[in-house]
Amino acid sequence: MRRYITFGLYMIFLISVVLSCSTQNNIEFFVSPDGNDTNPGTQSEPFKSIEKAQEVSRKQKSETPGKSIIVNINEGQYYLEKPIVFTEADSGTENAPVIYRAAEGEKPVFTGSREISNWQVLDKVEKLELLSPEVKGKIYVANLSAEGISDFGDATDIGKRPELFCNAQPQTLARWPNEGFVNAGLAKGKTELPPTYIKTHGTQEGVFEYLDNRQDRWAEEKDIRLGGYWYWDWSDEFQKVEELDVNSRTISISEPYHHYGYRDSLRYFGLNLFSEIDQPGEWYLDRQDGLIYWFPPENINPEKANVTLSVFNSPYMVEIKDCSNFELQGLTFMEGRSCAILISEGKRCLISDCRIERFGEDAIHIENGLGHGVSGCYLSTFGCGGIVVSGGDRKTLTPANHFIENTIVKDFSLYKRTYEPAVYAEGCGIRISHNRFLNSSSSAMRLEGNDIIVEYNEIGYVVNESDDQGGLDMWYNPSYRGIVIRYNHWHNITGGTKNGAAGVRLDDMISGVHIHGNVFERCGAVIFGAVQIHGGKDNLVENNLFYDCLAAVSFSTWKEKHWLDELDSPAIKKKIYEDVDIRSELYQHKYPELKTIREGVNVNTIKNNLMVNCEERFLRDKGVNIEENNTSVGSNGKSLDDFCNSELLQKYGLQSIPLQQMGPLNNRWIE
């Protein structure tokens, strides 16, 4: 009898818990670092782990179909040792999604780092002798084994690199020079490279002179790494040093060598060098002894600072696989060696209002599926890129309907210096709108596909170091069509070395792109205008405002034979006849310009544009383009905002350009 009554009371209790967590359409659970997985998951008695909430949510979803499941995550630090994996079993429906969100007014943080706290001033004489005299007494050392850390990773292997942070600021792996690059002397490998258009001597093997005798001190280092641009200033890579010969002043790189080889006067820097801990913020990890050395930033007391080392080394912190109608909302993820979030397959998964910071690789990957999105997020400080998104079917032109909107991506491509943009979009039917992309050595966007819309974004301070790049870059596939780049603000893109930097760069046969209603402010350098077209045709550049640019548009024309030879090359034939078929009725109907792909080489249309204070209208224009109503004027004291006035634009034959709508419209993280 007692057992029967007890069971009845338990059922009454369980029903009351569910009802207390439910509204008419929602069932809610709570998670807290101070909770317990034996708790019922209420606001007053939360679970401790996401895994427990996931287990209960799956059960509840099957028992009460038609209701949304909301898991509220309370403030605190959630230390991850393995990925959180959501699957089809965690899916909601269109009318009843499953949402894991920050509890109201709170900021939970999922972290892949561990705090380092046992710092002592370095006093070993043999170590101090390797350092510059002026830093003695300023270097601290900590034992990672004492902190429970045994995975030391690798200094320059993407996804395996630990990084040190002080009060959320990245510290610098000890290097020289402390900023920028040093130039090598002669390349001294055995096999000479064939001539290139830059007419610079180079060799296949990585053997070259060093010119500064400071580098003699590196001969005592255990594991020298070099970062650099070894032949082209748009192709960087990290290399291991096999030997440093002080007598001949040569550096020999370990195989495999850089695939473009090594040229005279190449740019490089050394890192992972204990002897180069010589300025605040630098650190070094001795993997043999498990000791970490650090020169704290000025006015930082290691005993009081929050000093962390990234240790989480799975490919992703969160994996959302084959899941539909699922959302992560308002959560913070930080400090992993690889990437933060993966969405693969499934439908209508959303990452909204999340903050993702300080990862060794990328923030978010979206692979296939339909209708996935990133909205209102803040993404900052990545060794590689921000968001990698792919989906849709280019052959059938079936759109993925993925979207990235109202999101900030800043300080990216910090480790891999080229081809790691804020957004890499590949496939068909993807929208990138109302975002802000700032601060990178290379491009902010790379597009590979069809029917991609880039609109109402702000892009600035990119291509700060590499060469021959654009804020947006496309390359070598004339079947990429339906690309619209409209109403974006491109500004302060003026880097480059030999060729330069552009706001939008259409490289090697990119054709049929529509560039409309953009503002280009201080874009273009060396021989690139704000828009750079290289060997493409049928591109339309219209109704844009160019303000304080080197030039509005620059061209690198191709000879007709070169164009036709490339169309008939195995590489391009695969792209246009096998990967897709530009002869198909579908492609010819949607993109009618493909019917004349072998004609009109280099002919693009540039019309109804306004150039204000630009040094040149067009660079390297050979007179083959269609140019109509392009006006050059001085500013005469008028600001950029003044020239975006609709009446003034109309005076010059332009339609409205909505500058104030460019950039995020709804982002909680905007300061």
Side-chain angles (χ1 to χ4, degrees):
M1 182 69 174
R2 174 181 288 180
R3 290 174 58 198
Y4 204 69
I5 293 173
T6 303
F7 178 74
L9 290 173
Y10 173 76
M11 290 302 296
I12 292 171
F13 166 76
L14 188 62
I15 291 170
S16 68
V17 167
V18 173
L19 290 176
S20 68
C21 292
S22 305
T23 63
Q24 185 175 0
N25 295 312
N26 301 335
I27 297 173
E28 299 193 31
F29 297 103
F30 290 80
V31 177
S32 170
D34 301 322
N36 193 305
D37 283 349
T38 62
N39 285 344
T42 61
Q43 189 167 10
S44 59
E45 296 183 89
F47 300 129
K48 183 177 180 63
S49 70
I50 296 297
E51 289 79 6
K52 183 61 179 180
Q54 185 180 21
E55 174 192 329
V56 174
S57 296
R58 288 176 172 181
K59 186 173 185 296
Q60 190 64 58
K61 185 164 62 74
S62 66
E63 292 177 354
T64 56
K67 287 185 178 292
S68 291
I69 303 293
I70 298 177
V71 176
N72 299 281
I73 303 173
N74 292 337
E75 190 148 337
Q77 295 270 340
Y78 296 81
Y79 296 96
L80 296 182
E81 296 181 353
K82 62 180 182 178
I84 301 170
V85 180
F86 298 99
T87 68
E88 187 177 5
D90 298 292
S91 296
T93 65
E94 286 192 69
N95 296 323
V98 172
I99 302 172
Y100 282 67
R101 70 184 184 187
E104 187 174 355
E106 303 201 359
K107 297 178 181 178
V109 175
F110 294 86
T111 180
S113 64
R114 295 295 178 269
E115 188 171 357
I116 310 299
S117 58
N118 62 340
W119 295 104
Q120 303 290 330
V121 175
L122 176 63
D123 58 6
K124 283 190 176 182
V125 174
E126 62 270 24
K127 284 290 187 182
L128 291 170
E129 288 177 348
L130 299 173
L131 297 170
S132 300
E134 58 268 20
V135 305
K136 293 178 181 178
K138 300 177 182 179
I139 307 300
Y140 287 75
V141 60
N143 189 315
L144 292 184
S145 298
E147 302 284 2
I149 298 172
S150 59
D151 182 356
F152 305 142
D154 184 87
T156 58
D157 192 348
I158 291 178
K160 296 181 179 179
R161 299 180 307 114
E163 293 188 84
L164 188 70
F165 305 96
C166 176
N167 297 336
Q169 296 301 309
Q171 304 298 281
T172 302
L173 185 61
R175 56 165 286 171
W176 183 84
N178 288 322
E179 293 183 358
F181 301 85
V182 64
N183 289 106
L186 299 177
K188 290 195 164 185
K190 295 179 180 179
T191 309
E192 289 206 8
L193 294 172
T196 65
Y197 78 88
I198 62 173
K199 299 178 181 178
T200 299
H201 167 261
T203 63
Q204 179 179 316
E205 298 84 10
V207 182
F208 56 87
E209 294 178 310
Y210 66 87
L211 302 178
D212 195 309
N213 60 10
R214 180 190 179 108
Q215 293 170 251
D216 292 348
R217 65 199 296 185
W218 297 359
E220 301 300 319
E221 294 286 347
K222 299 176 182 178
D223 186 16
I224 306 170
R225 308 296 175 96
L226 302 180
Y229 293 88
W230 304 108
Y231 192 92
W232 300 105
D233 283 348
W234 40 261
S235 180
D236 71 313
E237 191 170 81
F238 285 88
Q239 309 257 267
K240 295 182 180 181
V241 171
E242 179 73 24
E243 181 184 10
L244 185 146
D245 189 324
V246 174
N247 295 320
S248 63
R249 283 186 152 190
T250 58
I251 292 174
S252 298
I253 299 296
S254 300
E255 295 187 56
Y257 300 128
H258 185 59
H259 57 283
Y260 288 122
Y262 305 79
R263 65 174 171 84
D264 296 347
S265 302
L266 58 84
R267 295 190 293 164
Y268 73 101
F269 62 92
L271 75 163
N272 199 44
L273 299 163
F274 176 83
S275 62
E276 296 295 356
I277 307 177
D278 63 354
Q279 78 167 7
E282 288 195 310
W283 67 283
Y284 173 83
L285 174 56
D286 183 337
R287 289 173 170 79
Q288 181 176 321
D289 297 329
L291 299 176
I292 187 168
Y293 299 87
W294 178 44
F295 188 169
E298 294 181 8
N299 303 316
I300 290 293
N301 182 343
E303 295 180 359
K304 297 181 179 180
N306 176 237
V307 186
T308 56
L309 185 77
S310 59
V311 297
F312 188 90
N313 63 359
S314 295
Y316 302 95
M317 276 191 177
V318 178
E319 300 179 13
I320 305 169
K321 299 180 174 181
D322 297 308
C323 200
S324 298
N325 304 297
F326 179 91
E327 181 176 355
L328 298 180
Q329 183 185 109
L331 306 175
T332 295
F333 302 89
M334 68 180 195
E335 296 179 6
R337 294 183 186 178
S338 298
C339 304
I341 299 173
L342 166 69
I343 301 174
S344 63
E345 306 301 338
K347 299 178 181 179
R348 295 180 294 277
C349 292
L350 179 65
I351 311 299
S352 69
D353 302 328
C354 288
R355 193 174 181 108
I356 303 175
E357 299 184 87
R358 303 188 294 282
F359 279 79
E361 291 190 62
D362 310 321
I364 299 170
H365 285 198
I366 297 174
E367 298 177 357
N368 302 318
L370 295 171
H372 300 315
V374 177
S375 180
C377 293
Y378 179 91
L379 315 179
S380 173
T381 316
F382 300 100
C384 295
I387 301 168
V388 179
V389 54
S390 64
D393 187 331
R394 291 187 56 234
K395 203 153 196 170
T396 63
L397 296 180
T398 302
N401 292 324
H402 297 327
F403 60 91
I404 300 162
E405 63 183 16
N406 293 312
T407 287
I408 298 167
V409 186
K410 62 190 291 286
D411 301 324
F412 51 95
S413 200
L414 297 174
Y415 169 73
K416 181 67 176 69
R417 309 294 293 176
T418 54
Y419 302 107
E420 298 292 345
V423 174
Y424 178 96
E426 179 182 15
C428 181
I430 298 169
R431 176 172 55 85
I432 304 165
S433 64
H434 288 294
N435 303 290
R436 177 177 295 151
F437 305 139
L438 299 174
N439 306 336
S440 175
S441 56
S442 192
S443 300
M445 281 179 278
R446 188 167 185 87
L447 308 184
E448 306 275 356
N450 295 66
D451 302 340
I452 300 175
I453 307 299
V454 177
E455 60 183 4
Y456 297 102
N457 302 285
E458 177 198 348
I459 305 95
Y461 300 102
V462 295
V463 199
N464 294 332
E465 179 184 282
S466 61
D467 184 46
D468 205 22
Q469 304 285 294
L472 181 151
D473 231 85
M474 296 179 64
W475 178 73
Y476 197 53
N477 194 328
S479 71
Y480 293 161
R481 300 283 166 149
I483 307 295
V484 177
I485 302 167
R486 63 191 178 199
Y487 306 127
N488 304 283
H489 183 193
W490 313 82
H491 63 87
N492 299 290
I493 305 174
T494 58
T497 54
K498 287 186 175 293
N499 292 309
V504 174
R505 176 173 173 261
L506 310 180
D507 190 23
D508 282 345
M509 306 185 79
I510 295 297
S511 303
V513 176
H514 188 184
I515 302 172
H516 174 91
N518 297 272
V519 173
F520 294 92
E521 179 186 11
R522 291 187 294 279
C523 293
V526 192
I527 58 171
F528 280 6
V531 175
Q532 156 67 7
I533 300 174
H534 181 195
K537 63 189 290 286
D538 300 326
N539 296 295
L540 173 60
V541 182
E542 66 165 348
N543 206 82
N544 302 283
L545 172 61
F546 299 89
Y547 189 92
D548 276 346
C549 295
L550 173 65
V553 187
S554 58
F555 305 92
S556 303
T557 56
W558 279 18
K559 293 182 179 179
E560 182 177 10
K561 183 179 185 306
H562 186 190
W563 175 266
L564 296 176
D565 285 347
E566 284 296 318
L567 284 179
D568 294 333
S569 70
I572 292 296
K573 286 172 76 172
K574 181 180 183 302
K575 291 175 186 290
I576 65 178
Y577 300 134
E578 295 179 29
D579 296 346
V580 301
D581 188 355
I582 65 169
R583 300 164 299 188
S584 69
E585 182 179 351
L586 174 67
Y587 262 70
Q588 299 249 325
H589 175 74
K590 188 161 189 179
Y591 314 123
E593 291 165 337
L594 288 171
K595 296 175 182 178
T596 56
I597 193 170
R598 302 183 71 86
E599 305 169 15
V601 180
N602 300 311
V603 178
N604 302 279
T605 300
I606 319 294
K607 68 178 184 180
N608 298 337
N609 298 286
L610 177 61
M611 290 83 90
V612 181
N613 284 358
C614 294
E615 295 181 29
E616 301 281 349
R617 285 158 49 95
F618 308 121
L619 284 175
R620 295 170 291 139
D621 179 13
K622 295 189 176 180
V624 296
N625 297 290
I626 300 169
E627 299 170 5
E628 300 175 358
N629 189 39
N630 298 294
T631 306
S632 296
V633 299
S635 64
N636 297 320
K638 292 186 176 67
S639 68
L640 177 67
D641 287 335
D642 293 332
F643 276 97
C644 287
N645 177 276
S646 295
E647 292 183 3
L648 184 58
L649 289 172
Q650 188 175 10
K651 173 184 173 182
Y652 293 106
L654 276 70
Q655 300 169 0
S656 295
I657 297 177
L659 178 63
Q660 300 307 315
Q661 295 180 38
M662 299 174 190
L665 297 181
N666 183 22
N667 188 298
R668 62 179 285 193
W669 306 106
I670 292 179
E671 299 169 354

